[in-house]
């Protein structure tokens, strides 16, 4: 079974530019999550999709970030315009259908996209 | 607020036992997870505790005390490949996995 994949693995852009990150979850996983880890800090939750619907986007830092999951399969996270403080590693994770942690073995993470804004 | 604490770094010897502690204060609790992350790779799931007590899985065990807001990950018979960061994460609610992550503990296993 293929794992969670993310593209690109690295992205270097200039301040003010736009970047779109992509996440392909494990096939059949309804839940998809975005996280990010800025330098020296802990991983922080950004948002959670259940299929194509945003279940919780309380972690999105501001309106420069837009996440979509059309059709409930892959997801994109767009940063427009990018700022220096957006640099970090953006992780995507997916998990099976189910509303409670007790029914799940845990989220499966992708390898992350390292974003550098210069 | 949400707060999870872990030691920043630990060092242990191959073949030894190491215990990585995690304390948490979160609004809502629906389980505690431990993840292993090698540099540049995805965090991988190790264990999950939602009830008090010890969960054992091979060389790894995880313990939870909800009243104390405390968990630990116990690694036995350490191997060089166990050198990695270990992340403690708390799931806050019942309808998703809105994780709050700790800063991670970087474990170095020496020969």
């Amino acid at each position: 079974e293929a794992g969670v994949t993310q593209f690109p693995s690295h992205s270097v852009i200039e301040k003010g530019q736009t970047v779109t990150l992509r996440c392909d979850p494990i096939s059949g996983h309804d839940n998809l999550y975005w996280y990010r880890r800025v330098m020296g800090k802990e991983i922080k939750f950004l948002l959670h999709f259940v299929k194509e619907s945003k279940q919780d986007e309380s972690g999105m830092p501001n309106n420069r970030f837009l996440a979509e999951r059309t059709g409930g399969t892959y997801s994109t996270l767009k940063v427009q315009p990018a700022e220096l403080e957006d640099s970090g590693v953006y992780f995507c994770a997916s998990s099976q259908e189910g509303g409670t942690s007790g029914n799940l073995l845990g989220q499966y993470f992708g390898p992350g996209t390292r974003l550098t804004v210069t | 607020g949400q707060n999870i604490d872990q030691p920043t770094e630990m060092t242990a010897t191959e073949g030894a036992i190491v215990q990585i502690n995690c304390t948490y204060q979160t609004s809502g609790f629906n389980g505690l997870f431990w993840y292993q992350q090698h540099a540049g790779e995805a965090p991988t799931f190790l264990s999950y505790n939602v009830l008090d007590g010890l969960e054992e899985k091979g060389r790894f065990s995880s313990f939870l005390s909800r009243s104390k807001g405390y968990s630990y990950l116990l690694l036995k018979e350490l191997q060089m490949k166990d050198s990695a960061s270990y992340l403690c994460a708390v799931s806050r609610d019942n309808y998703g996995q809105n994780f709050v992550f700790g800063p991670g503990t970087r474990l170095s296993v020496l020969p």
Side-chain angles (χ1 to χ4, degrees):
Chain A
E1 176 182 82
V4 178
T5 58
Q6 293 186 244
F7 182 83
S9 56
H10 292 85
S11 180
V12 181
I13 61 172
E14 293 182 354
K15 176 182 173 181
Q17 290 185 323
T18 298
V19 64
T20 300
L21 314 180
R22 173 172 170 143
C23 168
D24 286 78
I26 293 173
S27 178
H29 281 192
D30 287 341
N31 294 287
L32 187 149
Y33 309 81
W34 283 99
Y35 298 87
R36 75 172 178 178
R37 185 172 198 166
V38 296
M39 186 65 68
K41 300 277 184 75
E42 66 274 15
I43 297 174
K44 286 198 172 178
F45 166 83
L46 295 179
L47 88 160
H48 169 208
F49 283 99
V50 178
K51 297 184 180 178
E52 67 275 9
S53 299
K54 291 176 184 174
Q55 178 78 12
D56 182 347
E57 52 183 329
S58 61
M60 295 288 264
N62 52 61
N63 59 10
R64 295 186 292 104
F65 289 75
L66 175 64
E68 295 180 324
R69 193 183 182 195
T70 306
T73 55
Y74 71 91
S75 174
T76 58
L77 179 65
K78 179 189 287 188
V79 185
Q80 180 182 28
E83 297 290 342
L84 298 178
E85 63 264 26
D86 300 333
S87 295
V89 181
Y90 289 76
F91 291 101
C92 173
S94 71
S95 64
Q96 294 173 341
E97 178 182 359
T100 64
S101 299
N103 292 329
L104 305 169
L105 292 176
Q107 296 181 3
Y108 295 88
F109 280 79
T113 293
R114 181 173 294 278
L115 174 65
T116 302
V117 183
T118 62
Chain B
Q2 323 296 332
N3 190 48
I4 298 183
D5 286 321
Q6 302 178 236
T8 305
E9 292 188 20
M10 297 184 72
T11 303
T13 305
E14 194 174 12
I17 299 173
V18 70
Q19 177 175 311
I20 303 175
N21 295 326
C22 170
T23 58
Y24 64 90
Q25 290 178 304
T26 57
S27 56
F29 178 84
N30 195 43
L32 187 143
F33 294 76
W34 283 95
Y35 285 84
Q36 180 191 61
Q37 185 181 20
H38 287 97
E41 297 182 9
T44 54
F45 171 76
L46 287 179
S47 69
Y48 166 69
N49 295 69
V50 67
L51 299 176
D52 291 350
L54 188 68
E55 293 282 342
E56 297 187 77
K57 188 186 296 185
R59 293 189 300 113
F60 294 1
S61 303
S62 57
F63 171 84
L64 175 67
S65 169
R66 289 171 296 171
S67 62
K68 295 181 179 179
Y70 167 69
S71 172
Y72 68 73
L73 179 69
L74 192 70
L75 293 76
K76 303 175 186 176
E77 301 170 15
L78 280 174
Q79 303 175 8
M80 299 296 288
K81 67 179 182 179
D82 297 330
S83 293
S85 287
Y86 291 86
L87 309 175
C88 171
V90 171
S91 172
R92 290 184 298 170
D93 63 36
N94 230 10
Y95 297 102
Q97 289 184 329
N98 296 336
F99 281 0
V100 179
F101 278 88
T105 298
R106 183 177 305 206
L107 174 66
S108 298
V109 180
L110 305 177

